[in-house]
Amino acid sequence: ATLRGVIGVQTVNKLCPNDREEYLLSRAEGAPLENYANFGRVLAALKEERLVEDDTQWKELLFARAISCSQCESGYKGVVGLQEVLPITGTLKEMIVKGASAADIEEKAREEGMLTIVEDALYKAAAKQTSIEEVFRLVQG
């Protein structure tokens, strides 16, 4: 009755702000991530936060690759936090009380707007805070 939400947190390496290579993510490069994330939801979040224009399509997003520079050796400097926030709504509370499976609860939470950790990682890669390589490292565990 008192649970308000659940937060999952993880970190990935942050791109060094001094030097990076921007590129368009090819369909082949992004395809393996479709098993882990809903690209449409990530794009909607980017639009909601006004990081991209309302008419931007996924295939138009610029991503960034790490390039080593005089400020860093690996192209990364520091870490960026990833969050998965599950607010406990009335519907979710009812599901928990009835003993619904974790998969069913996650599915409902995603329907209600929750971004998963992988989707947050993709969001931050599209915002050029981290790289797609770091997203793959995250999903490969």
Side-chain angles (χ1 to χ4, degrees):
T2 61
L3 183 64
R4 302 277 184 228
V6 180
I7 302 173
V9 182
Q10 205 155 351
T11 60
V12 291
N13 289 315
K14 184 177 184 178
L15 285 169
C16 177
N18 298 310
D19 200 10
R20 53 184 156 206
E21 175 188 13
E22 292 187 353
Y23 69 102
L24 292 171
L25 185 68
S26 74
R27 175 90 174 123
E29 289 173 301
L33 293 172
E34 290 176 0
N35 295 328
Y36 301 96
N38 180 320
F39 288 24
R41 292 176 43 74
V42 174
L43 184 57
L46 290 163
K47 289 176 180 180
E48 184 178 321
E49 294 294 323
R50 305 217 183 279
L51 293 177
V52 299
E53 298 296 322
D54 286 341
D55 60 348
T56 302
Q57 296 180 19
W58 185 263
K59 64 184 178 183
E60 300 169 327
L61 291 177
L62 284 175
F63 290 83
R65 285 190 181 98
I67 298 176
S68 62
C69 68
S70 62
Q71 302 295 313
C72 66
E73 292 182 22
S74 64
Y76 296 99
K77 194 170 186 178
V79 294
V80 63
L82 306 175
Q83 296 83 31
E84 180 175 279
V85 180
L86 171 65
I88 304 300
T89 63
T91 305
L92 291 176
K93 187 182 291 188
E94 188 176 311
M95 289 177 74
I96 293 166
V97 169
K98 289 182 178 179
S101 70
D104 288 343
I105 291 168
E106 180 180 351
E107 182 180 335
K108 185 63 178 173
R110 292 182 79 196
E111 284 175 18
E112 292 182 355
M114 180 189 82
L115 288 181
T116 65
I117 289 233
V118 176
E119 289 167 343
D120 191 38
L122 270 175
Y123 174 96
K124 289 180 176 155
K128 298 177 197 71
Q129 295 177 24
T130 192
S131 67
I132 287 293
E133 291 78 14
E134 283 295 288
V135 179
F136 277 113
R137 190 177 65 79
L138 174 70
V139 298
Q140 293 170 350

